[in-house]
Amino acid sequence: MTFFVLLAMLLLGISPNAPAQDNLSISANLSTDRLSVDDAARLLITVHGAGSAGIAIPEVENLLFHRRGQHAKMQNTNGKVSSAITSTYIIEPLEPGNYTIPPITAEVDGTTLQTKPLRLEVLSRDEISTNGSNQEQPATSPTGLGTNEICFITIDGLPQKAYRGQILPITIKIYFRRGVRAELDTLPEIVGDGFVLSPLSEDPRQTRETRNGKDYSVISWDSSITPIKEGENTLQIGIDATLLLPGRRNIDPFFNDDFFNGFFGRIEKKRISRKSKPHNVAIDHLPQQGRPADFSGAIGSFDFQVAATPQTVEVGEPVTLTMEISGKGNFDRVSAPAFPTGQDWKSYSPTSHFQSKGSSYQGSKIFEQAIVAKNSSLNSIPALSFSYFDPERREYVSAASRPLPLQIKAAAKPQRPGSAAPGQSTPLSLQDSSKEQDTSATKATPSAPPAKLHLTATDFTRKIVPVYRRSWFITFFLVCTATLGIVLAIALRRRFIATHRPFFSRKQLRKDMNTGFARLQQAMENNEEESFLRVCREIIQHRLASAWNMEPSTITLHDLQRRLPEDSPLIQIFSTIERNAYCGADKTQMDTREMNDISTMLQTSLEDIP
Amino acid sequence: MNVPRLLTVVTAAMVWLVHLAGNPVVAGDTLGLQEQLHDANRHYVEGSYDEAVAAYTRLIGQYGLSPELLHNLGNSYAGDKRYGSAVLHYLRGLRIDPGNDALEADLAKIREEIGLFDEPLPLHKRVVTLYDMNQWLTGALVSYALLTLVLALRLRFTGSKAVVPLSLLLTAIICVCGVAAYRQHHNWNGAVIVKPDTHLLLSPFASASSTGKLLQGTVVYNEKKHDGYNYVHDTRGRSGWIPAPSLAPINTSSLTYSRGSAER
């Protein structure tokens, strides 16, 4: 801030030290001279007649001084300029005691100014409680900034009278002054033993409020408390929190400014404990008069409904009875209405679940109970009742259901073999007939254990794991996948060949021709005339079959004569081959040179075939 | 690759794997097992259920999990009226030997005893719950193997008209089994309430309000944990925090039994 004031003064052509030296003065004020060890006091140091000053804060044992800023004020009265600079410090006491803050000095252009010593009394928490100075509301001192003003707690919605066990919805609010950085070390807790607080959410609502013209950040919980002690009880809510205060710096005076403070100031933590204002609540006990026999402690306002499914059963078949109790109240004390058992009915333990409507004291508690009719003459499920205490009406209320119609048929199927009815003993003996044995009772048990007992054990495994983690499953899967891949690859290859048949035919033909000529060469080298001629014939047939789209074995000399030019060497070669093959008398004897000539001629002639 | 040779290799591999699958771990000597099992059964017959439980637990810790031992252990718990643990061990037995009639009958009986009745399910859920995840997955794998075989045979017998409908049928079976296995996967990681008077709590603290009660033997599913409490839900949609010692996972290993903590 000083930086900007100096800048403004320079722009206005005013020297920072323009005011006369004889107008220089200094004053120091504390917001309070008595405070709790958990509180903080504000110290204002004002230097009159100066635009800047080097203020030296003395060290005091167990007192910490946190610089919070500085502001300057200028006045121009009839051309006479006066200025004042005010520095603000927060004093944080560490220990209770009486402190004297020595004179604070300020250096202005070589002139040293001094304040008077200040006295400060710091009280312990106990002293504060005794004196009743720990208030819920913020301190009202116009300059004070105690931690009571920084943080306080309120409880909303608390009645003056209630019953023991009654759920009382409340809203707990923790106020922090806007701009104050703080951390909650604990969730709000009840101070004292007359009430039980419902578990609070770890994600409270956060809002902003203005109280007494000051802005606060508010953390609030909608919760409930339950009185557990009769008589006049005091309710207080307490928290522990840590305030994050800017620490004191000892760096160049140029940076001794709020603007830089935010960047360079270190954070110091101050733990505080806060309690709300005590609230007195008169807790009464529930009246004995008119208390129903089935009252289980439910206090609130409830509705009661009953349903049953199925509505047509055989004797021995279970019917599910659904009992829903909805409304507001202490649902933890709401228990299932008792089902009247006897000769006609067997009932099982009910299960229950709670469907909340935003809080633990508002919603529906649903009980499900299996009941079994023992008698086919029954035609309805008996009426059930649920009793509770209504705190508004200050009386007990019994809500009853109507009997539910039920059609019961005689049992059509016999009981499963081996399933002993509950309560019936099962014979127990040791026999080893088929790896399993029926067990007979050497002593009667109220409810017989299952009848089968294994005398051998097989199929051991170390761990119950899903089959997809077993090695055989993984291997089997991989083998199948690999096989499928190969099968698909083969199929695709076949399809590809079929699609590109001309290309592959030519390729195959070239391959066949090369093989044929290799065999021809072999025959020549071995001087095997017969073999040579046979291979020649095969080569011609194969090549021409490919060109004429015929089967190689069906190609004859006649075909050659019909489809090739008359002077084609192939006709001559094929004719020689035919003659040698079929006319043994005129067989010509060929030597290697002749065979070589024929081979060369054959190769040349076949190249001309399209 | 030569198609007949390919088929031979695939068939041989499948036969080997099926053989492998049919021979799970067998540990320890059979004679010792028989003697110890006889002792454990004697305790059961004499009505000393605590001792029977301890004996069967030792056996499982030593030799491994077996449907018969788990069944006997479940019976011992039932005899001792620890119904939650009885249900737990029947379910563990059924995990190893799905469809075991004796286990299913005793499980149904004990559930009836404690008042746990199944809710009527819609048709598709009834179909899915016909088999457990392992059975559906095995069905899918067998169909997959058959599909591979059919496609491999198609290379050899190109003219067969049965290949396409057969392949489509097998593909459909694989899809059905896969979907059912996926749906059953959720049920695979269940746990059983083994302590009586287990309350669902609003928050993971002993002082928290109860939102309902779960019967022992109820199957629940873990969602999260916090400081000794588990947040669970059951098949009826109820949810809340319960103390961790109140429930035991169905899937386990014999190691937990050798440590003497069969219910964990």
Coordinates of all heavy atoms in Angstrom, one line a residue, chain B residues 18 29 36 46 66 73 81 124 144 147 207 212-213 221 246:
Chain B
V18 N -8.9 -81.5 -21.2 CA -10.0 -82.0 -20.4 C -9.5 -83.0 -19.3 O -10.0 -82.9 -18.2 CB -11.0 -82.8 -21.4 CG1 -12.0 -83.6 -20.6 CG2 -11.7 -81.8 -22.3
D29 N -1.6 -87.6 2.2 CA -1.8 -89.0 2.0 C -3.3 -89.4 2.3 O -3.9 -88.9 3.2 CB -0.9 -89.8 2.9 CG -1.1 -89.5 4.3 OD1 -1.1 -88.3 4.7 OD2 -1.2 -90.4 5.1
Q36 N -8.5 -89.0 9.7 CA -8.9 -87.8 10.3 C -10.3 -87.5 10.0 O -11.1 -86.9 10.9 CB -8.0 -86.6 9.8 CG -6.6 -86.7 10.3 CD -5.8 -85.5 9.8 OE1 -6.1 -84.4 10.0 NE2 -4.7 -85.8 9.1
E46 N -21.5 -87.7 17.5 CA -21.6 -87.6 18.9 C -22.2 -86.3 19.3 O -22.5 -86.1 20.5 CB -20.3 -87.8 19.6 CG -19.8 -89.3 19.5 CD -18.3 -89.4 20.0 OE1 -17.7 -88.3 20.3 OE2 -17.8 -90.5 20.0
S66 N -12.6 -79.2 -0.3 CA -13.3 -80.2 -1.1 C -14.8 -80.1 -0.8 O -15.2 -79.7 0.3 CB -12.8 -81.6 -0.6 OG -13.8 -82.4 -0.3
L73 N -18.5 -79.7 7.1 CA -18.3 -78.5 8.0 C -19.5 -77.7 8.1 O -19.9 -77.2 9.2 CB -17.1 -77.7 7.4 CG -16.7 -76.5 8.2 CD1 -16.3 -76.8 9.6 CD2 -15.4 -75.9 7.6
K81 N -25.9 -74.5 15.5 CA -26.8 -73.4 15.3 C -26.1 -72.1 14.9 O -26.5 -71.0 15.1 CB -27.6 -73.1 16.6 CG -28.5 -74.2 17.0 CD -29.6 -73.8 17.9 CE -30.5 -74.9 18.4 NZ -31.1 -75.6 17.3
H124 N -35.8 -63.9 -17.0 CA -34.4 -63.8 -17.5 C -33.5 -64.0 -16.3 O -32.4 -64.6 -16.5 CB -34.2 -62.5 -18.2 CG -34.2 -61.3 -17.3 ND1 -35.4 -60.7 -16.9 CD2 -33.2 -60.6 -16.8 CE1 -35.0 -59.6 -16.2 NE2 -33.7 -59.5 -16.0
Y144 N -17.2 -72.8 -27.9 CA -16.1 -72.2 -28.7 C -15.3 -73.2 -29.3 O -14.9 -73.2 -30.5 CB -15.3 -71.3 -27.8 CG -14.3 -70.4 -28.4 CD1 -14.5 -69.6 -29.5 CD2 -13.0 -70.4 -27.9 CE1 -13.6 -68.9 -30.1 CE2 -12.0 -69.6 -28.4 CZ -12.3 -68.8 -29.5 OH -11.3 -68.1 -30.1
L147 N -17.2 -74.8 -32.1 CA -17.2 -74.0 -33.3 C -15.9 -74.0 -34.0 O -15.9 -74.1 -35.3 CB -17.5 -72.5 -32.8 CG -17.5 -71.5 -33.9 CD1 -18.7 -71.6 -34.8 CD2 -17.5 -70.0 -33.3
S207 N -21.3 -46.0 17.1 CA -22.5 -45.3 17.6 C -23.5 -44.9 16.5 O -24.5 -44.2 16.8 CB -21.9 -44.0 18.2 OG -21.2 -43.2 17.3
G212 N -31.3 -51.0 9.6 CA -31.9 -52.3 9.3 C -31.1 -53.4 9.9 O -30.0 -53.2 10.4
K213 N -31.7 -54.6 9.8 CA -31.0 -55.7 10.4 C -30.9 -56.8 9.3 O -31.8 -57.0 8.5 CB -31.9 -56.3 11.5 CG -31.2 -57.4 12.3 CD -32.1 -57.9 13.4 CE -31.6 -59.1 14.0 NZ -32.6 -59.7 15.0
Y221 N -22.9 -58.0 -0.8 CA -21.8 -57.7 -1.7 C -21.1 -56.4 -1.2 O -21.8 -55.4 -1.0 CB -22.4 -57.5 -3.2 CG -23.1 -58.7 -3.6 CD1 -24.5 -58.7 -3.5 CD2 -22.5 -59.8 -4.1 CE1 -25.2 -59.9 -3.8 CE2 -23.2 -60.9 -4.5 CZ -24.5 -61.0 -4.3 OH -25.2 -62.1 -4.7
S246 N -18.5 -59.4 10.8 CA -19.8 -59.9 10.7 C -20.0 -60.7 9.4 O -21.0 -61.3 9.2 CB -20.9 -58.8 10.7 OG -20.9 -58.3 12.0

